[in-house]
Amino acid sequence: MTRSPAPPLPGPRGPLSSAVLDALRGAAPAAVPSPARSSPYGDDLQLALYALYELHYRGFDGVPDDLEWDSGLLAVRHALEDRFLGALRAEVPVDADADTAERALDELQIEPAADPGDSVSHYLQAEGSLRHLREYAALRSLYHLKEADPHAWVIPRLRGRAKAAMVAVEYDEFGAGRADEIHAELFAALMADLGLDTTYGRYVDAAPAEALATVNLMSLFGLHRSLRAVLVGHFAAVEVTSSPASRRLAEAMRRAGAGSAAVRFYTEHVEADAVHEQVVRHDVVGGLLESEPHLDTDIVFGIRATTWLENRLADRILGAWRGGVTALREQDAVTPALS
């Protein structure tokens, strides 16, 4: 039997996600609870949003493709997005008179000196075990197996220098014309080296809300033209911080005895993202602001919202590991595939 390229539907985590998943299964329409009653960063809302966004990627096994643009589901998604985005804007205020994209990008380049232990990559480099690396890879698979896809949505919304530079960076992310060099494929090889299941969507049920939120953020920004500069800010935050973190993660893989493919994924990002950082900063961000200078604070918001959610995920992961427990929702989620 040929395996479907689409993953199975995940399990529900509350009334919101239960109603959304029932709708995707074709169950009789039921009233979806108001998202105002749910935490904007909680498991229930984030899973519901993740499921609706996934319709724009590979969908789900057994779910009709035409539900991607179902008006009722889009209305539900809009309400969830309003709750999530509204909470983020309250948590990450931007001062139009003081905050600029240039300043926000400069802040990203300051490595944490006071307490590097607050960084997952520092922790893994210094003391991470193979179990920690497997858990981290399982969590990040939700992002890395679709790595460049949501950022590609911004391309038709840019023009001139910003568009040309964005396409150049995305070309590298998609393997520069070689299918086996697509960064998502390189991450799948990393997972295989660590004994993980490389099936797309395999670890959604194991991922806590903090991990779902970092992926939902990309989809939220990518699917809305009004948030095009916010997505550019997100992209800049990822590229600027990637190279030093990837260097530490490559060292963590070597120290723990992971395979060559696991090491290679991060060494590739050390080299590629050091170049991408300059292209994104000077040509994507610079080109966008040259043509639309009023979007400066949107870029700042994208950078800081990304950092804020990544810090929440780091707190979740490190809190679990320091307490001697798994960072996943399921204690044995990564063990079945292990030798």
Side-chain angles (χ1 to χ4, degrees):
M1 178 184 294
T2 301
R3 177 185 285 182
S4 169
L9 283 166
R13 303 188 191 179
L16 266 177
S17 54
S18 182
V20 166
L21 294 170
D22 282 348
L24 296 181
R25 290 189 188 92
V32 178
S34 169
R37 302 173 186 172
S38 298
S39 165
Y41 311 115
D43 279 295
D44 193 23
L45 186 143
Q46 289 298 324
L47 180 64
L49 199 50
Y50 183 93
L52 291 171
Y53 282 147
E54 196 59 35
L55 298 177
H56 300 287
Y57 295 100
R58 299 193 193 182
F60 294 101
D61 189 22
V63 174
D65 289 344
D66 57 8
L67 285 184
E68 178 182 6
W69 298 110
D70 178 85
S71 60
L73 291 175
L74 288 175
V76 172
R77 199 191 86 191
H78 179 66
L80 299 176
E81 288 177 330
D82 276 356
R83 179 84 169 116
F84 184 33
L85 184 59
L88 281 172
R89 290 197 184 280
E91 294 283 359
V92 190
V94 176
D95 184 345
D97 294 324
D99 294 324
T100 65
E102 182 176 3
R103 176 184 170 189
L105 288 167
D106 285 342
E107 291 170 350
L108 286 176
Q109 293 182 310
I110 301 173
E111 283 280 277
D115 187 5
D118 287 341
S119 158
V120 173
S121 63
H122 279 99
Y123 181 95
L124 289 172
Q125 180 189 35
E127 55 186 298
S129 66
L130 274 174
R131 178 181 71 83
H132 293 132
L133 291 170
R134 288 175 178 125
E135 288 193 7
Y136 184 68
L139 286 174
R140 299 308 280 189
S141 68
L142 276 64
Y143 164 73
H144 282 301
L145 292 182
K146 60 163 62 81
E147 183 166 351
D149 296 345
H151 294 133
W153 280 322
V154 82
I155 292 171
R157 295 160 181 172
L158 301 175
R159 63 179 187 268
R161 184 157 60 100
K163 174 176 277 192
M166 190 72 190
V167 169
V169 175
E170 288 286 271
Y171 181 66
D172 286 347
E173 299 285 346
F174 287 119
R178 293 183 54 186
D180 60 338
E181 293 295 314
I182 294 173
H183 284 192
E185 294 299 322
L186 296 181
F187 192 80
L190 171 150
M191 295 176 71
D193 251 6
L194 292 173
L196 295 172
D197 188 337
T198 63
T199 305
Y200 180 90
R202 164 65 177 82
Y203 296 105
V204 171
D205 281 325
E210 292 86 351
L212 295 176
T214 62
V215 182
N216 286 339
L217 190 73
M218 297 189 300
S219 303
L220 169 63
F221 295 164
L223 285 166
H224 293 272
R225 189 175 65 83
S226 62
L227 297 175
R228 62 194 179 280
V230 184
L231 183 67
V232 166
H234 177 281
F235 189 59
V238 170
E239 296 298 327
V240 168
T241 58
S242 174
S243 187
S246 293
R247 185 176 293 106
R248 290 188 288 271
L249 290 167
E251 178 56 32
M253 293 291 177
R254 292 190 192 97
R255 187 184 57 75
S260 59
V263 174
R264 192 203 166 196
F265 176 81
Y266 288 112
T267 56
E268 169 73 14
H269 280 70
V270 171
E271 299 167 6
D273 290 345
V275 175
H276 292 171
E277 172 194 339
Q278 297 303 313
V279 175
V280 171
R281 179 163 189 159
H282 296 294
D283 293 316
V284 180
V285 173
L288 177 59
L289 292 179
E290 185 176 73
S291 61
E292 299 185 88
H294 63 285
L295 294 178
D296 194 39
T297 53
D298 279 3
I299 295 173
V300 175
F301 174 66
I303 292 170
R304 293 189 176 158
T306 301
T307 303
W308 192 80
L309 284 179
E310 288 290 342
N311 287 341
R312 289 184 80 251
L313 176 57
D315 289 345
R316 164 71 185 236
I317 293 171
L318 293 174
W321 288 348
R322 288 171 180 151
V325 299
T326 180
L328 306 177
R329 294 180 69 246
E330 303 169 1
Q331 180 70 45
D332 298 324
V334 299
T335 57
L338 303 185
S339 58

